[in-house]
Amino acid sequence: MIAGSASRRLRTAVAACATAALLGGCVSTSAGPRGLYATPIGNAPVTANPTPYSAALYCMADYARRYNLPSPRMAIGRIADYTGTVSADGGRQVTGGASLMAIAALAKSGARIVERYDTSVSEMELRYANNRLIGDDGPGGADDVQYRRILAGSVPGSDFYIVGGITEVNYNIRSSGFDLAAGEAASQTPLSAAVAGKVYVMNIAIDLRMVQTTTLEVVDVVSYQKQIIGREVSAGVFDFLDGNVFDLSAGDGGLEPVQLAVRALIERATVEFMANLYGAPGPEVCLNAGPDPLGGTVGPTGGFYSAYPNTDTNNGATRADPSRWHDRRDDAVRRSRY
């Protein structure tokens, strides 16, 4: 028995040493010929980052090109996170880049965009040019450098700008779960098992407004929310076999990306803003020919002044329809060729 016990201890020690050696071999303390201690894992390529409303934005751009509709000059101001939420590690729970998402959404819709969000480089170069510190090549090429002139009216102004913020993050709107465990009590080698699962729902909301730059009149307002779902499933087995303890467990979980939900909210709002500015006679401009499965749905969200005299047919009556413009929920949405 003593010899058997010592043999088991020896096997355990050898296994531990082998595991430590294997782990130690994964990372070297000396950089290899490529200058790396270790090769990063993962080989996923860079991909596009669309939302279900991106197709509608591209379609809006197609509509404007098809009918030669001029886009007003658009600018993006601050779209801040007003929720004040922080994550467990102390960072932001909600993205601070909503303004950048809005700029990308405007570009997808074919809008003309002027920079107002970060003008630090332009302002610095304007100061340098005002002091004749910046030179540009003259008619004679690089040997004929002339200082940059400041010309009145060279910077185009914006017609409208979009501002607002992320205003709601509500955790655990609804949650449910189960936890089941069972085991043997009388057996000398008791076996026990456990299974658990949880599902929970949260939501996030934005409030955006479009302002006419010259008059500061708020001409359009959109307020949207989106629910986000998370789930977690786990199972495990615990057993004694011949004096050995086995504890096996596995699980799976996932949370719908919160920041992608913010991008989807902003893209949906941008579709509504640009449909109004282009004078689109409603979502049907981006639908295939034939009957509209969502026809007759009404219920505007926010308030706006129509940019064109088409209040009886424009997109305002369909803003509250959660499936409208959604490329996987609205079967009639026409995909753009771009």
Side-chain angles (χ1 to χ4, degrees), residues 40-51:
I41 65 173
N43 60 356
V46 175
T47 64
N49 193 25
T51 76

Side-chain angles (χ1 to χ4, degrees), residues 32 42 63 66 104 108 174 179 183 217 232 236 258 296 298-299 310 322 331:
Y63 174 78
R66 186 181 310 118
K108 292 178 183 179
R174 180 67 62 85
D179 194 340
E217 180 182 13
E232 183 178 349
V258 175
V298 296
N310 58 357
D331 294 335

Side-chain angles (χ1 to χ4, degrees), residues 210 217-221 276-277 303-308 311 314:
M210 185 167 63
E217 180 182 13
V218 177
V219 297
D220 205 344
V221 176
N276 184 28
L277 291 179
F304 72 101
Y305 296 101
S306 178
Y308 298 87
T311 53
N314 66 15

Side-chain angles (χ1 to χ4, degrees), residues 187-268:
S187 174
Q188 293 182 351
T189 58
L191 170 68
S192 62
V195 179
K198 287 190 275 187
V199 176
Y200 53 95
V201 178
M202 60 179 287
N203 85 327
I204 190 167
I206 63 168
D207 290 88
L208 301 180
R209 62 191 184 275
M210 185 167 63
V211 184
Q212 188 171 7
T213 306
T214 55
T215 65
L216 295 184
E217 180 182 13
V218 177
V219 297
D220 205 344
V221 176
V222 165
S223 178
Y224 281 132
Q225 71 89 31
K226 185 185 186 311
Q227 292 192 345
I228 301 167
I229 191 168
R231 61 174 175 80
E232 183 178 349
V233 179
S234 62
V237 177
F238 182 81
D239 193 13
F240 289 97
L241 293 176
D242 298 329
N244 298 310
V245 178
F246 294 90
D247 187 358
L248 305 177
S249 60
D252 180 58
L255 174 66
E256 186 178 351
V258 175
Q259 319 309 345
L260 188 60
V262 175
R263 186 183 295 275
L265 287 166
I266 289 176
E267 290 201 351
R268 172 67 192 272

Side-chain angles (χ1 to χ4, degrees), residues 5-28:
S5 176
S7 176
R8 284 197 298 271
R9 288 198 297 270
L10 179 61
R11 287 198 301 268
T12 302
V14 170
C17 291
T19 302
L22 180 63
L23 293 176
C26 296
V27 179
S28 173

